[in-house]
Short mmCIF file of all heavy atoms in Angstrom, two decimals:
data_model
loop_
_atom_site.label_atom_id
_atom_site.label_comp_id
_atom_site.label_asym_id
_atom_site.label_seq_id
_atom_site.Cartn_x
_atom_site.Cartn_y
_atom_site.Cartn_z
N LEU A 1185 -32.06 114.23 -350.23
CA LEU A 1185 -31.47 115.61 -350.45
C LEU A 1185 -29.98 115.48 -350.59
O LEU A 1185 -29.37 116.08 -351.49
CB LEU A 1185 -31.91 116.57 -349.42
CG LEU A 1185 -33.38 116.92 -349.31
CD1 LEU A 1185 -33.64 117.99 -348.27
CD2 LEU A 1185 -33.95 117.38 -350.69
N PHE A 1200 -31.66 124.40 -341.20
CA PHE A 1200 -32.01 125.78 -340.85
C PHE A 1200 -32.51 125.90 -339.38
O PHE A 1200 -33.13 126.95 -339.05
CB PHE A 1200 -33.00 126.42 -341.82
CG PHE A 1200 -34.40 125.82 -341.75
CD1 PHE A 1200 -35.43 126.44 -341.13
CD2 PHE A 1200 -34.69 124.63 -342.40
CE1 PHE A 1200 -36.77 125.94 -341.11
CE2 PHE A 1200 -35.97 124.10 -342.47
CZ PHE A 1200 -37.01 124.75 -341.81
N PRO A 1210 -33.97 119.89 -342.35
CA PRO A 1210 -33.32 119.87 -343.67
C PRO A 1210 -33.80 121.04 -344.54
O PRO A 1210 -34.99 121.41 -344.57
CB PRO A 1210 -33.71 118.57 -344.34
CG PRO A 1210 -34.30 117.72 -343.27
CD PRO A 1210 -34.84 118.72 -342.17
N LEU A 1211 -32.82 121.61 -345.29
CA LEU A 1211 -33.15 122.69 -346.24
C LEU A 1211 -32.32 122.46 -347.49
O LEU A 1211 -31.09 122.26 -347.40
CB LEU A 1211 -32.80 124.02 -345.65
CG LEU A 1211 -33.06 125.28 -346.54
CD1 LEU A 1211 -34.57 125.57 -346.65
CD2 LEU A 1211 -32.36 126.51 -346.00
N ALA A 1212 -32.95 122.40 -348.66
CA ALA A 1212 -32.23 122.39 -349.92
C ALA A 1212 -32.20 123.78 -350.49
O ALA A 1212 -33.25 124.39 -350.71
CB ALA A 1212 -32.86 121.41 -350.86
N VAL A 1213 -31.00 124.26 -350.77
CA VAL A 1213 -30.86 125.55 -351.46
C VAL A 1213 -30.58 125.22 -352.96
O VAL A 1213 -29.60 124.56 -353.24
CB VAL A 1213 -29.73 126.36 -350.84
CG1 VAL A 1213 -29.54 127.65 -351.63
CG2 VAL A 1213 -30.05 126.70 -349.39
N VAL A 1214 -31.56 125.62 -353.79
CA VAL A 1214 -31.48 125.17 -355.17
C VAL A 1214 -31.35 126.33 -356.11
O VAL A 1214 -32.19 127.23 -356.08
CB VAL A 1214 -32.79 124.37 -355.50
CG1 VAL A 1214 -32.72 123.78 -356.91
CG2 VAL A 1214 -32.97 123.26 -354.53
N VAL A 1233 -37.33 132.11 -353.09
CA VAL A 1233 -38.59 131.50 -352.86
C VAL A 1233 -38.44 130.38 -351.81
O VAL A 1233 -37.65 129.45 -351.99
CB VAL A 1233 -39.10 130.83 -354.19
CG1 VAL A 1233 -40.56 130.27 -353.98
CG2 VAL A 1233 -39.13 131.86 -355.33
N TYR A 1234 -39.22 130.49 -350.76
CA TYR A 1234 -39.16 129.49 -349.65
C TYR A 1234 -40.35 128.55 -349.75
O TYR A 1234 -41.50 129.06 -349.82
CB TYR A 1234 -39.10 130.19 -348.35
CG TYR A 1234 -39.25 129.30 -347.12
CD1 TYR A 1234 -38.27 128.34 -346.88
CD2 TYR A 1234 -40.30 129.44 -346.24
CE1 TYR A 1234 -38.42 127.52 -345.74
CE2 TYR A 1234 -40.43 128.59 -345.10
CZ TYR A 1234 -39.45 127.64 -344.93
OH TYR A 1234 -39.58 126.83 -343.79
N ILE A 1235 -40.14 127.30 -349.83
CA ILE A 1235 -41.20 126.30 -349.96
C ILE A 1235 -41.17 125.40 -348.72
O ILE A 1235 -40.18 124.74 -348.49
CB ILE A 1235 -41.11 125.50 -351.25
CG1 ILE A 1235 -41.22 126.43 -352.44
CG2 ILE A 1235 -42.21 124.38 -351.30
CD1 ILE A 1235 -41.02 125.72 -353.81
N GLN A 1236 -42.22 125.41 -347.95
CA GLN A 1236 -42.28 124.70 -346.64
C GLN A 1236 -43.34 123.63 -346.72
O GLN A 1236 -44.50 124.00 -347.04
CB GLN A 1236 -42.56 125.63 -345.59
CG GLN A 1236 -42.87 125.19 -344.24
CD GLN A 1236 -43.06 126.27 -343.24
OE1 GLN A 1236 -42.14 126.99 -342.89
NE2 GLN A 1236 -44.29 126.50 -342.81
N ALA A 1250 -42.17 118.39 -352.74
CA ALA A 1250 -41.00 119.25 -352.52
C ALA A 1250 -39.67 118.51 -352.91
O ALA A 1250 -38.82 119.06 -353.50
CB ALA A 1250 -40.97 119.77 -351.08
N GLN A 1251 -39.61 117.29 -352.45
CA GLN A 1251 -38.41 116.48 -352.81
C GLN A 1251 -38.31 116.27 -354.35
O GLN A 1251 -37.24 116.38 -354.89
CB GLN A 1251 -38.48 115.08 -352.12
CG GLN A 1251 -38.37 115.12 -350.66
CD GLN A 1251 -38.52 113.72 -350.03
OE1 GLN A 1251 -37.57 112.95 -349.96
NE2 GLN A 1251 -39.72 113.40 -349.63
N LEU A 1253 -39.47 118.16 -356.59
CA LEU A 1253 -39.13 119.39 -357.22
C LEU A 1253 -37.57 119.65 -357.21
O LEU A 1253 -37.01 120.05 -358.22
CB LEU A 1253 -39.79 120.58 -356.50
CG LEU A 1253 -39.53 121.99 -356.96
CD1 LEU A 1253 -39.99 122.17 -358.36
CD2 LEU A 1253 -40.25 122.98 -355.99
N VAL A 1254 -36.98 119.30 -356.12
CA VAL A 1254 -35.49 119.45 -356.06
C VAL A 1254 -34.85 118.52 -357.09
O VAL A 1254 -33.95 118.91 -357.81
CB VAL A 1254 -35.01 119.08 -354.60
CG1 VAL A 1254 -33.45 119.16 -354.57
CG2 VAL A 1254 -35.61 119.95 -353.52
N ILE A 1257 -35.16 119.81 -360.76
CA ILE A 1257 -34.25 120.85 -361.09
C ILE A 1257 -32.80 120.28 -361.21
O ILE A 1257 -32.08 120.61 -362.15
CB ILE A 1257 -34.32 122.02 -360.05
CG1 ILE A 1257 -35.75 122.64 -360.14
CG2 ILE A 1257 -33.26 123.07 -360.35
CD1 ILE A 1257 -36.01 123.64 -359.06
N LEU A 1271 -34.35 128.74 -354.94
CA LEU A 1271 -35.38 128.15 -354.15
C LEU A 1271 -34.80 127.62 -352.85
O LEU A 1271 -33.66 127.05 -352.84
CB LEU A 1271 -36.01 126.93 -354.92
CG LEU A 1271 -36.52 127.17 -356.36
CD1 LEU A 1271 -37.22 125.97 -356.89
CD2 LEU A 1271 -37.44 128.40 -356.33
N LEU A 1272 -35.53 127.80 -351.81
CA LEU A 1272 -35.17 127.32 -350.46
C LEU A 1272 -36.26 126.33 -350.07
O LEU A 1272 -37.42 126.80 -349.82
CB LEU A 1272 -35.14 128.46 -349.49
CG LEU A 1272 -34.27 129.71 -349.88
CD1 LEU A 1272 -34.63 130.89 -349.02
CD2 LEU A 1272 -32.81 129.40 -349.82
N ILE A 1273 -35.91 125.05 -350.13
CA ILE A 1273 -36.92 124.03 -349.95
C ILE A 1273 -36.77 123.23 -348.66
O ILE A 1273 -35.79 122.61 -348.39
CB ILE A 1273 -36.95 123.14 -351.21
CG1 ILE A 1273 -37.15 123.95 -352.45
CG2 ILE A 1273 -37.99 122.06 -351.09
CD1 ILE A 1273 -37.19 123.20 -353.75
N ALA A 1274 -37.84 123.30 -347.86
CA ALA A 1274 -37.89 122.61 -346.53
C ALA A 1274 -38.96 121.59 -346.56
O ALA A 1274 -40.14 121.88 -346.25
CB ALA A 1274 -38.12 123.65 -345.42
N PRO A 1275 -38.65 120.36 -346.99
CA PRO A 1275 -39.66 119.37 -347.21
C PRO A 1275 -40.34 118.81 -345.94
O PRO A 1275 -41.52 118.38 -345.93
CB PRO A 1275 -39.01 118.18 -347.93
CG PRO A 1275 -37.65 118.69 -348.32
CD PRO A 1275 -37.34 119.85 -347.36
N ILE A 1276 -39.67 118.88 -344.81
CA ILE A 1276 -40.15 118.19 -343.63
C ILE A 1276 -40.03 119.07 -342.43
O ILE A 1276 -39.22 118.88 -341.54
CB ILE A 1276 -39.43 116.80 -343.46
CG1 ILE A 1276 -39.98 115.97 -342.34
CG2 ILE A 1276 -37.90 116.97 -343.39
CD1 ILE A 1276 -39.63 114.48 -342.43
#
Side-chain angles (χ1 to χ4, degrees):
L1185 294 182
F1200 69 101
L1211 180 73
V1213 176
V1214 183
V1233 185
Y1234 172 62
I1235 299 173
Q1236 170 180 290
Q1251 293 176 84
L1253 178 63
V1254 179
I1257 296 170
L1271 309 185
L1272 310 164
I1273 301 181
I1276 186 163

